[in-house]
Amino acid sequence: MNILFASSEVHPLIKTGGLADVSGSLPRAILGLHHDIRVIIPAYREILRQAQHLTLVAHLELEGISLPVRILSGRLPGGNVKLYLVDSPPHFDRTGKPYTTSNGSPWSDNAERFTVFCRAIHALAVNAAGLDWEPDIVHCNDWQTGLVPVMLKETPAAPASIFTIHNLAYQGLFDWKTFNALKLPADWWSVDAFEFHDKFSFIKGGLVHADWLTTVSPNYAREICTPEFGCGLEGLITHRKETLTGILNGVDYTVWNPGRDLHIPVQYNRRSLFHKTENKRELQERFALPVDNAIPLFAVISRLVEQKGIDLILDILPELVKQNAQLVVLGSGDSQLEDALQRAGSRHPKHIGIHIGYDETLAHCIEGGADIFLMPSRFEPCGLNQIYSLRYGTVPVVRRTGGLADTIVDTTAETLADKTATGFCFQASTAPALWSSIKRALNHYRKPDIWEQIVDTGMRQDFSWKRSAQQYTELYARVIAQRQKRPLLEKIAVQ
Ligand code: ADP
Ligand code: GLC
């Protein structure tokens, strides 16, 4: 199959979260299954600075956009996946982050930026860019690609589309004035298309019009059909239940593998776990915490946003300190959460180490050195860090939601007996519930034999992309076949 994979971020070129990890590794896994998959992404300044051997392959004249847009072609570093960059300098060649300015406020022209991106994806998808390559299916990801399924639907003989929801909470909502300025078809402002509570919703376009919907874990696929997790879109999603599949994200074990990880001070695997102690020592030193292997070291690596339940962690800090445990946090995001964490760090410098910012090497060192990883998310479509933690022998404590529930097996008498326990789960989104699972983790931590078993079971888990990539390609084939049948069915209906 020919597949065009459209994403607004891709590791290792540009990353704000797990979407980049998925876009960097899933296409590689699908290429490994012998399909021609190509990734398309905006040519942000950050990417232009790093990408090598780019060639100009097309000039596009896009509707509603005065300057021509260029398509540059290259390869995704670390593999052989072909990359197309949508080069529209007024929209993407600027200092800052993909969706926000350097100080975190959304770019005021985001609707226009991602409309340009969608128009360019569409042009390539229908072979209007002169590339002499036509995808059978376009795999869209998140709201930034939400206009593409409807554009394809309105083009005769266009490829099929899949829309993957990585996070329903980010919807790409804009007011009518913005919609009007985009010069999109007027009938798109309708409850059957993009309108959502008097706003223009990019994600709704994808949800209504894609041939198939997927999300990044089976559990989140069920959850988003309910008001608690559906963000107001649960009615629409339930309506599409028959064409919604949850496919669990995988992990790129060439990047996240303590046996080969060059970011961490000392490599280790299941059989040389004693080396983890050296990583722990370096981590404690780095955060100026007392160096002592007997002290349980907790860790958080996260976007600091409401979704991640960071406030629950702030609430339990006094208890953690009382237990003489340590915590290191790496994250950035909401300035109130950043400030609160930093205040806690200065109040308890012997117990809490805070690093505000984005630092990939440090993220690996934390996975390598910590004992226990905290992820008390309010909701979590899949979550990747808990899966990385398993491989690093860093036992996850997670809320039982979304992909966290699909990937971590709670420690109980039964799961210890049948050797399936990999972590600690709690249900209610409250500080006491989080604290009671931390206490359970601490109790088991103090029993080395049992702890080693939990660590070992976690390290044995295999969440590599192979199975998920297979599921995606089976789905692509099904959706393409269904799409090809459609004109025939329409003909029969007319007769
Ligand atoms: P989300 O996509 O919701 O942020 P995921 O768990 O799917 O959550 O993925 C987060 C990814 O971003 C992981 O690869 C994690 O290591 C990385 N990450 C998050 N915050 C930071 C940070 N401050 N520094 C380095 N990496 C980070
Ligand atoms: C989103 C979700 C996260 C998921 C990631 C990759 O950012 O918040 O749970 O792992 O996308 O699919």
Side-chain angles (χ1 to χ4, degrees), residues 57-74:
V57 290
H59 275 104
L60 303 176
E61 304 281 342
L62 299 176
E63 228 178 296
I65 294 141
S66 48
L67 290 172
V69 167
R70 302 189 316 160
I71 300 294
L72 309 173
S73 166

PDB file of all heavy atoms in Angstrom, residues 57-74:
ATOM      1  N   VAL A  57      10.856  19.554  -4.316  1.00  0.00           N
ATOM      2  CA  VAL A  57      10.213  18.649  -5.277  1.00  0.00           C
ATOM      3  C   VAL A  57       8.931  19.223  -5.881  1.00  0.00           C
ATOM      4  O   VAL A  57       8.439  18.711  -6.880  1.00  0.00           O
ATOM      5  CB  VAL A  57       9.912  17.255  -4.663  1.00  0.00           C
ATOM      6  CG1 VAL A  57      11.193  16.495  -4.419  1.00  0.00           C
ATOM      7  CG2 VAL A  57       9.102  17.370  -3.378  1.00  0.00           C
ATOM      8  N   ALA A  58       8.373  20.271  -5.272  1.00  0.00           N
ATOM      9  CA  ALA A  58       7.143  20.822  -5.860  1.00  0.00           C
ATOM     10  C   ALA A  58       6.881  22.239  -5.367  1.00  0.00           C
ATOM     11  O   ALA A  58       7.311  22.628  -4.282  1.00  0.00           O
ATOM     12  CB  ALA A  58       5.952  19.937  -5.495  1.00  0.00           C
ATOM     13  N   HIS A  59       6.202  22.986  -6.214  1.00  0.00           N
ATOM     14  CA  HIS A  59       5.641  24.284  -5.838  1.00  0.00           C
ATOM     15  C   HIS A  59       4.129  24.125  -5.884  1.00  0.00           C
ATOM     16  O   HIS A  59       3.605  23.613  -6.868  1.00  0.00           O
ATOM     17  CB  HIS A  59       6.022  25.348  -6.875  1.00  0.00           C
ATOM     18  CG  HIS A  59       7.364  25.949  -6.632  1.00  0.00           C
ATOM     19  ND1 HIS A  59       8.469  25.619  -7.373  1.00  0.00           N
ATOM     20  CD2 HIS A  59       7.771  26.870  -5.725  1.00  0.00           C
ATOM     21  CE1 HIS A  59       9.516  26.309  -6.922  1.00  0.00           C
ATOM     22  NE2 HIS A  59       9.112  27.078  -5.928  1.00  0.00           N
ATOM     23  N   LEU A  60       3.434  24.534  -4.833  1.00  0.00           N
ATOM     24  CA  LEU A  60       1.971  24.400  -4.853  1.00  0.00           C
ATOM     25  C   LEU A  60       1.323  25.778  -4.821  1.00  0.00           C
ATOM     26  O   LEU A  60       1.732  26.629  -4.036  1.00  0.00           O
ATOM     27  CB  LEU A  60       1.481  23.623  -3.616  1.00  0.00           C
ATOM     28  CG  LEU A  60       2.035  22.231  -3.355  1.00  0.00           C
ATOM     29  CD1 LEU A  60       1.479  21.700  -2.036  1.00  0.00           C
ATOM     30  CD2 LEU A  60       1.654  21.295  -4.496  1.00  0.00           C
ATOM     31  N   GLU A  61       0.331  25.966  -5.672  1.00  0.00           N
ATOM     32  CA  GLU A  61      -0.499  27.171  -5.574  1.00  0.00           C
ATOM     33  C   GLU A  61      -1.749  26.727  -4.830  1.00  0.00           C
ATOM     34  O   GLU A  61      -2.546  25.961  -5.365  1.00  0.00           O
ATOM     35  CB  GLU A  61      -0.921  27.661  -6.972  1.00  0.00           C
ATOM     36  CG  GLU A  61       0.221  27.947  -7.938  1.00  0.00           C
ATOM     37  CD  GLU A  61       0.871  29.299  -7.671  1.00  0.00           C
ATOM     38  OE1 GLU A  61       0.232  30.141  -6.997  1.00  0.00           O
ATOM     39  OE2 GLU A  61       2.029  29.493  -8.111  1.00  0.00           O
ATOM     40  N   LEU A  62      -1.913  27.143  -3.579  1.00  0.00           N
ATOM     41  CA  LEU A  62      -3.042  26.653  -2.792  1.00  0.00           C
ATOM     42  C   LEU A  62      -4.135  27.708  -2.705  1.00  0.00           C
ATOM     43  O   LEU A  62      -3.846  28.903  -2.593  1.00  0.00           O
ATOM     44  CB  LEU A  62      -2.578  26.252  -1.387  1.00  0.00           C
ATOM     45  CG  LEU A  62      -1.533  25.132  -1.312  1.00  0.00           C
ATOM     46  CD1 LEU A  62      -1.102  24.900   0.130  1.00  0.00           C
ATOM     47  CD2 LEU A  62      -2.087  23.835  -1.898  1.00  0.00           C
ATOM     48  N   GLU A  63      -5.360  27.234  -2.733  1.00  0.00           N
ATOM     49  CA  GLU A  63      -6.511  28.130  -2.663  1.00  0.00           C
ATOM     50  C   GLU A  63      -6.440  28.998  -1.406  1.00  0.00           C
ATOM     51  O   GLU A  63      -6.127  28.492  -0.318  1.00  0.00           O
ATOM     52  CB  GLU A  63      -7.760  27.259  -2.569  1.00  0.00           C
ATOM     53  CG  GLU A  63      -8.856  27.654  -3.530  1.00  0.00           C
ATOM     54  CD  GLU A  63     -10.008  26.684  -3.360  1.00  0.00           C
ATOM     55  OE1 GLU A  63      -9.814  25.496  -3.648  1.00  0.00           O
ATOM     56  OE2 GLU A  63     -11.076  27.147  -2.907  1.00  0.00           O
ATOM     57  N   GLY A  64      -6.712  30.258  -1.533  1.00  0.00           N
ATOM     58  CA  GLY A  64      -6.799  31.144  -0.369  1.00  0.00           C
ATOM     59  C   GLY A  64      -5.447  31.542   0.200  1.00  0.00           C
ATOM     60  O   GLY A  64      -5.381  32.202   1.236  1.00  0.00           O
ATOM     61  N   ILE A  65      -4.349  31.115  -0.433  1.00  0.00           N
ATOM     62  CA  ILE A  65      -3.023  31.466   0.097  1.00  0.00           C
ATOM     63  C   ILE A  65      -2.252  32.195  -0.988  1.00  0.00           C
ATOM     64  O   ILE A  65      -2.102  31.693  -2.106  1.00  0.00           O
ATOM     65  CB  ILE A  65      -2.262  30.198   0.550  1.00  0.00           C
ATOM     66  CG1 ILE A  65      -3.013  29.602   1.738  1.00  0.00           C
ATOM     67  CG2 ILE A  65      -0.832  30.486   0.955  1.00  0.00           C
ATOM     68  CD1 ILE A  65      -3.064  28.142   1.717  1.00  0.00           C
ATOM     69  N   SER A  66      -1.789  33.421  -0.652  1.00  0.00           N
ATOM     70  CA  SER A  66      -1.231  34.252  -1.713  1.00  0.00           C
ATOM     71  C   SER A  66       0.138  33.757  -2.215  1.00  0.00           C
ATOM     72  O   SER A  66       0.371  33.682  -3.406  1.00  0.00           O
ATOM     73  CB  SER A  66      -1.149  35.703  -1.241  1.00  0.00           C
ATOM     74  OG  SER A  66      -0.559  35.722   0.041  1.00  0.00           O
ATOM     75  N   LEU A  67       1.009  33.365  -1.281  1.00  0.00           N
ATOM     76  CA  LEU A  67       2.352  32.952  -1.725  1.00  0.00           C
ATOM     77  C   LEU A  67       2.386  31.460  -2.034  1.00  0.00           C
ATOM     78  O   LEU A  67       1.686  30.679  -1.387  1.00  0.00           O
ATOM     79  CB  LEU A  67       3.363  33.235  -0.604  1.00  0.00           C
ATOM     80  CG  LEU A  67       3.658  34.700  -0.317  1.00  0.00           C
ATOM     81  CD1 LEU A  67       4.512  34.831   0.933  1.00  0.00           C
ATOM     82  CD2 LEU A  67       4.347  35.361  -1.497  1.00  0.00           C
ATOM     83  N   PRO A  68       3.198  31.038  -2.997  1.00  0.00           N
ATOM     84  CA  PRO A  68       3.281  29.595  -3.258  1.00  0.00           C
ATOM     85  C   PRO A  68       3.923  28.855  -2.087  1.00  0.00           C
ATOM     86  O   PRO A  68       4.725  29.418  -1.346  1.00  0.00           O
ATOM     87  CB  PRO A  68       4.162  29.494  -4.509  1.00  0.00           C
ATOM     88  CG  PRO A  68       4.789  30.804  -4.683  1.00  0.00           C
ATOM     89  CD  PRO A  68       4.049  31.822  -3.882  1.00  0.00           C
ATOM     90  N   VAL A  69       3.537  27.610  -1.942  1.00  0.00           N
ATOM     91  CA  VAL A  69       4.070  26.769  -0.872  1.00  0.00           C
ATOM     92  C   VAL A  69       5.005  25.762  -1.537  1.00  0.00           C
ATOM     93  O   VAL A  69       4.682  25.212  -2.594  1.00  0.00           O
ATOM     94  CB  VAL A  69       2.897  26.057  -0.161  1.00  0.00           C
ATOM     95  CG1 VAL A  69       3.383  24.947   0.746  1.00  0.00           C
ATOM     96  CG2 VAL A  69       2.066  27.069   0.607  1.00  0.00           C
ATOM     97  N   ARG A  70       6.161  25.527  -0.913  1.00  0.00           N
ATOM     98  CA  ARG A  70       7.098  24.571  -1.512  1.00  0.00           C
ATOM     99  C   ARG A  70       7.021  23.229  -0.772  1.00  0.00           C
ATOM    100  O   ARG A  70       6.774  23.193   0.436  1.00  0.00           O
ATOM    101  CB  ARG A  70       8.535  25.099  -1.406  1.00  0.00           C
ATOM    102  CG  ARG A  70       8.712  26.449  -2.074  1.00  0.00           C
ATOM    103  CD  ARG A  70      10.159  26.872  -2.161  1.00  0.00           C
ATOM    104  NE  ARG A  70      10.922  26.641  -0.949  1.00  0.00           N
ATOM    105  CZ  ARG A  70      12.246  26.575  -0.895  1.00  0.00           C
ATOM    106  NH1 ARG A  70      12.958  26.722  -1.993  1.00  0.00           N
ATOM    107  NH2 ARG A  70      12.877  26.374   0.241  1.00  0.00           N
ATOM    108  N   ILE A  71       7.223  22.166  -1.503  1.00  0.00           N
ATOM    109  CA  ILE A  71       7.341  20.852  -0.854  1.00  0.00           C
ATOM    110  C   ILE A  71       8.804  20.427  -0.962  1.00  0.00           C
ATOM    111  O   ILE A  71       9.375  20.363  -2.063  1.00  0.00           O
ATOM    112  CB  ILE A  71       6.445  19.788  -1.537  1.00  0.00           C
ATOM    113  CG1 ILE A  71       4.966  20.204  -1.483  1.00  0.00           C
ATOM    114  CG2 ILE A  71       6.641  18.421  -0.882  1.00  0.00           C
ATOM    115  CD1 ILE A  71       4.360  20.260  -0.096  1.00  0.00           C
ATOM    116  N   LEU A  72       9.405  20.194   0.197  1.00  0.00           N
ATOM    117  CA  LEU A  72      10.785  19.717   0.237  1.00  0.00           C
ATOM    118  C   LEU A  72      10.746  18.236   0.589  1.00  0.00           C
ATOM    119  O   LEU A  72       9.857  17.791   1.323  1.00  0.00           O
ATOM    120  CB  LEU A  72      11.582  20.473   1.298  1.00  0.00           C
ATOM    121  CG  LEU A  72      11.502  22.008   1.250  1.00  0.00           C
ATOM    122  CD1 LEU A  72      12.195  22.614   2.454  1.00  0.00           C
ATOM    123  CD2 LEU A  72      12.101  22.541  -0.041  1.00  0.00           C
ATOM    124  N   SER A  73      11.702  17.529   0.073  1.00  0.00           N
ATOM    125  CA  SER A  73      11.702  16.092   0.355  1.00  0.00           C
ATOM    126  C   SER A  73      13.034  15.670   0.987  1.00  0.00           C
ATOM    127  O   SER A  73      14.088  16.211   0.644  1.00  0.00           O
ATOM    128  CB  SER A  73      11.447  15.347  -0.956  1.00  0.00           C
ATOM    129  OG  SER A  73      11.751  14.008  -0.807  1.00  0.00           O
ATOM    130  N   GLY A  74      12.958  14.731   1.919  1.00  0.00           N
ATOM    131  CA  GLY A  74      14.165  14.219   2.580  1.00  0.00           C
ATOM    132  C   GLY A  74      13.848  12.882   3.213  1.00  0.00           C
ATOM    133  O   GLY A  74      12.882  12.218   2.828  1.00  0.00           O
TER     134      GLY A  74
END
